[in-house]
Amino acid sequence: SEEWPIAVDPESICDTPEKASERAENILDIVIGEHMKNKKFLDYGCGEGHTIQKAQEREALITIGYDVDISKINFEKNNFTNDFSVVKTMAPFDIILLHDVLDHAVIIDPIQILNQVKSVLSPKGKIYIRNHPWTSRHGGHLYTKKNKAFLHLSLDSVELMRIGGLECDVNIKVKNPLETYRYWFKEAGLKIINEYIIREKVEDFFTKPSLVNERIKKNFDNEISMINQLEISFVEYILEPKLDEHNLV
């Protein structure tokens, strides 16, 4: 239906190399927002590797992109690895980025990932995180094929496949993202320096009584909780290790 709101502004979808490059610039400018020159930078879950290329252009001292799958990377492979032991040899890092990583950590526990990251962080370093909750309007990552908001919360996997061969990205289906993220960080011994919640108003199409509304409500404990969670598009964090008497940094 044309009445069904879109998930993402089509202009914001990174469907060209030029847009991917621009997105990488924005990540360094907005999510990280600190100078890269002479800093050691790790992108944990680097995807296609564009942030590494941009960090090199900004004269970072060392840049390394880590990902379980580096087959999609079209840049110089010397700066990328799928072996974390290689990452350790270049530690410690001043800046570590996890962009849209933790919500997809179904093979390795998110707390384990955070402990890995903390182990290669310099004493005065920072971890920059952008999380993309399953409960967000585009949390199923279906928008490149069917750009409809909350489609992944309205239809099950069989229905999605039947209407167009749609399949969601692998996600941790967390219905209370803020509580969950804070728990992960606490368990990993990390301190939240900044928490920035990016919200977007939920259209009446999803909140008024309807079959779609009934479908979405089944994912939540109650309607108030549902609306609060649906509004959250992204959550950005700046983290550092907690101080304690055994680890004075």
Side-chain angles (χ1 to χ4, degrees):
S1 168
E2 291 301 317
E3 295 178 11
W4 194 306
I6 62 173
V8 179
D9 179 351
E11 290 299 314
S12 299
I13 298 175
C14 291
D15 52 2
T16 66
E18 292 75 21
K19 285 186 176 181
S21 179
E22 182 182 354
R23 175 177 177 266
E25 293 274 16
N26 290 335
I27 290 171
L28 297 186
D29 289 338
I30 299 171
V31 178
I32 295 177
E34 66 171 281
H35 293 296
M36 307 293 291
K37 187 174 182 179
N38 296 326
K39 301 286 182 67
K40 296 173 70 174
F41 172 57
L42 167 65
D43 185 350
Y44 188 110
C46 62
E48 296 180 354
H50 292 278
T51 57
I52 295 301
Q53 182 198 35
K54 294 301 178 183
Q56 289 173 346
E57 292 174 4
R58 299 183 184 202
E59 301 181 71
L61 181 64
I62 291 177
T63 58
I64 184 75
Y66 170 80
D67 207 304
V68 293
D69 180 10
I70 58 173
S71 63
K72 297 179 181 178
I73 295 169
N74 294 319
F75 304 109
E76 174 55 55
K77 290 294 195 293
N78 290 340
N79 296 104
F80 300 93
T81 184
N82 56 8
D83 183 349
F84 197 74
S85 66
V86 174
V87 175
K88 288 182 177 180
T89 65
M90 301 183 185
F93 293 91
D94 304 298
I95 301 170
I96 301 179
L97 172 69
L98 288 87
H99 193 280
D100 199 8
V101 171
L102 295 178
D103 297 281
H104 304 281
V106 295
I107 298 175
I108 304 176
D109 183 84
I111 298 171
Q112 183 180 345
I113 288 176
L114 291 166
N115 277 314
Q116 273 190 331
V117 167
K118 187 177 69 170
S119 73
V120 294
L121 182 68
S122 69
K124 295 184 179 180
K126 297 286 189 297
I127 302 170
Y128 295 87
I129 294 178
R130 189 182 223 211
N131 284 340
H132 188 185
W134 166 254
T135 52
S136 70
R137 61 191 299 112
H138 29 57
H141 290 255
L142 296 169
Y143 49 85
T144 58
K145 293 183 178 179
K146 184 68 70 175
N147 192 6
K148 296 295 184 182
F150 305 113
L151 199 61
H152 61 297
L153 300 177
S154 308
L155 303 174
D156 63 31
S157 59
V158 174
E159 291 167 330
L160 289 171
M161 187 60 66
R162 283 176 176 170
I163 67 169
L166 303 178
E167 189 173 4
C168 293
D169 278 9
V170 178
N171 285 69
I172 304 175
K173 296 177 175 60
V174 174
K175 62 182 180 182
N176 294 300
L178 296 180
E179 293 178 15
T180 302
Y181 299 153
R182 293 165 187 166
Y183 170 76
W184 290 345
F185 303 148
K186 179 181 177 182
E187 290 298 301
L190 293 166
K191 179 182 178 182
I192 299 174
I193 302 303
N194 186 59
E195 179 184 68
Y196 178 53
I197 305 166
I198 301 167
R199 295 183 180 271
E200 187 170 350
K201 187 179 184 300
V202 180
E203 297 88 347
D204 292 343
F205 181 89
F206 303 106
T207 58
K208 68 183 181 183
S210 67
L211 178 58
V212 173
N213 174 262
E214 289 298 321
R215 286 291 194 96
I216 294 176
K217 278 198 297 188
K218 291 179 180 179
N219 296 282
F220 301 92
D221 296 329
N222 56 68
E223 192 157 2
I224 294 175
S225 174
M226 178 189 83
I227 294 173
N228 286 337
Q229 308 310 331
L230 295 183
E231 287 180 345
I232 301 172
S233 289
F234 302 99
V235 193
E236 295 177 0
Y237 291 95
I238 303 175
L239 309 177
E240 64 180 23
K242 286 183 180 177
L243 291 174
D244 59 48
E245 58 184 8
H246 303 296
N247 182 32
L248 297 175
V249 295

